[in-house]
DNA sequence: GCAGTCCTGCAACTCTGTTGCATTAGACCG
DNA sequence: CGGTCTAATGCAACAGAGTTGCAGGACTGC
């Protein structure tokens, strides 16, 4: 996790302002946390980071995340563990790729997608959005080639 | 949903036998249901179909699905509604595509994937499996072009 | 058939996310 | 600034999918 810079808070505030809706401490704080994260965060992880500042209710965090997603400031990824993960949606288009670690569950966004374009759908189906999921092992979980494996990390 | 043919039951039984583990009524029944389905089914849908035969506990169905998945006979898809969907894994490889209807939640497998092959991962990450998710509207949910929309279907 | 093990049923539980409602605090106006 | 109007928050209770522990039942191999 990168240190939270002043820039993240400012960027968060600006982005929330731009929507035209109310700029609340909670919205700015959650977006700031997402902007500072190098990977997608669960509600749980966001809550922990948020509890360093003034009180914020779990339900509020859920509602803020929903709001950020609806306003295109965050996006929401279904994991293999029934838990949503979120990250700031800076410049994420309709076509998108994610890496899921099959061991620790870490999820990161992948920038480039050489996406399958000419994909055949059944008669009458219409495509709106493509998402490519790569499942595998992250650098921390990948077994070492001949050295003994490092201690497992869990987020 | 296609009619359950004798072939589905036989195929299910054969597939379960081949694993070398115990051939139970419950395993065969669940796999048969998956083989007969034209799309991925939720636990709930499987339960309903299963209740036409002799009693089978919900927990057993969860455990059978887990077992089928672990043995490569079924595969498990995370939806946008926090519900797992399953289908028989006949000939599904490491690279795979699904269509998710954003209106009714229907999930189907797409056969061909012109998958992104030369995809850049961060240093040290290893890819095991690719999955392409297409989100859109299924034929039933797609708004009619000029006629009034048909009654919504819900599964 | 019999023993041994794996699987099933049942009940209680966990965990993530949701809903209803009273209270608080942004935004806007003067 | 201070008042007002409304959207957002906090709190408590709830919902639903999936999990766990354990006793009893049913496959399989002999
Ligand atoms: Mn992303
Ligand atoms: Mn599939
Ligand atoms: Zn990992
Ligand atoms: Zn649909």
């Amino acid at each position: 996790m990168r240190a939270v810079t002043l820039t993240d808070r400012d960027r968060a505030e600006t982005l929330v302002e731009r929507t035209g809706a109310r700029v609340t401490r909670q919205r700015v704080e959650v977006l700031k946390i997402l902007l500072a994260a190098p990977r997608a965060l669960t509600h749980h992880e966001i809550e922990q980071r948020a509890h360093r500042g003034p009180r914020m209710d779990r339900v509020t965090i859920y509602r803020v995340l929903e709001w950020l997603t609806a306003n295109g400031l965050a996006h929401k990824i279904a994991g293999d563990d029934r838990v949503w993960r979120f990250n700031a949606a800076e410049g994420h288009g309709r076509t998108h790729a994610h890496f899921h670690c099959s061991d620790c569950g870490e999820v990161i966004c992948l920038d480039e997608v050489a996406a399958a374009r000419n994909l055949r759908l059944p008669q009458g189906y219409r495509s709106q959005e493509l998402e490519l999921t790569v499942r595998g092992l992250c650098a921390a979980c990948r077994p070492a080639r001949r050295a003994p494996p490092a201690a497992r990390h869990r987020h």
Side-chain angles (χ1 to χ4, degrees), chain A:
Chain A
M1 149 186 41
R2 213 172 81 231
V4 174
T5 64
L6 232 165
T7 328
D8 283 324
R9 148 137 282 145
D10 289 347
R11 249 166 68 244
E13 204 164 318
T14 307
L15 289 166
V16 174
E17 269 166 20
R18 268 191 210 148
T19 66
R22 291 193 184 170
V23 180
T24 66
R25 173 175 64 78
Q26 292 86 338
R27 286 174 176 171
V28 173
E29 178 69 15
V30 171
L31 182 52
K32 185 198 73 183
I33 291 169
L34 295 183
L35 285 166
R39 55 162 220 273
L41 300 181
T42 63
H43 175 273
H44 208 71
E45 293 168 324
I46 295 168
E47 205 178 349
Q48 290 178 324
R49 286 162 173 69
H51 279 359
R52 290 196 261 251
R55 168 138 201 64
M56 193 182 322
D57 194 74
R58 336 179 294 117
V59 177
T60 301
I61 297 178
Y62 278 116
R63 289 198 268 230
V64 165
L65 288 168
E66 193 187 351
W67 181 89
L68 289 171
T69 303
N71 285 269
L73 298 180
H75 82 135
K76 195 184 178 182
I77 309 159
D80 285 349
D81 51 3
R82 288 176 41 80
V83 173
W84 294 113
R85 285 177 173 74
F86 296 85
N87 53 247
E90 301 242 276
H92 287 173
R94 308 262 73 189
T95 287
H96 205 93
H98 294 128
F99 177 92
H100 294 230
C101 177
S102 18
D103 189 45
C104 70
E106 172 180 285
V107 174
I108 60 172
C109 293
L110 303 173
D111 290 336
E112 40 160 330
V113 196
R117 233 69 209 30
N118 48 352
L119 179 74
R120 201 177 311 287
L121 293 178
Q123 186 66 30
Y125 283 56
R126 181 189 298 178
S127 152
Q128 295 173 326
E129 192 180 321
L130 287 187
E131 187 184 319
L132 182 67
T133 302
V134 184
R135 234 171 288 280
L137 296 176
C138 75
C141 293
R142 189 183 49 148
R145 200 157 299 234
R146 32 193 87 238
R152 284 283 171 74
H153 76 135
R154 298 270 152 205
H155 299 300

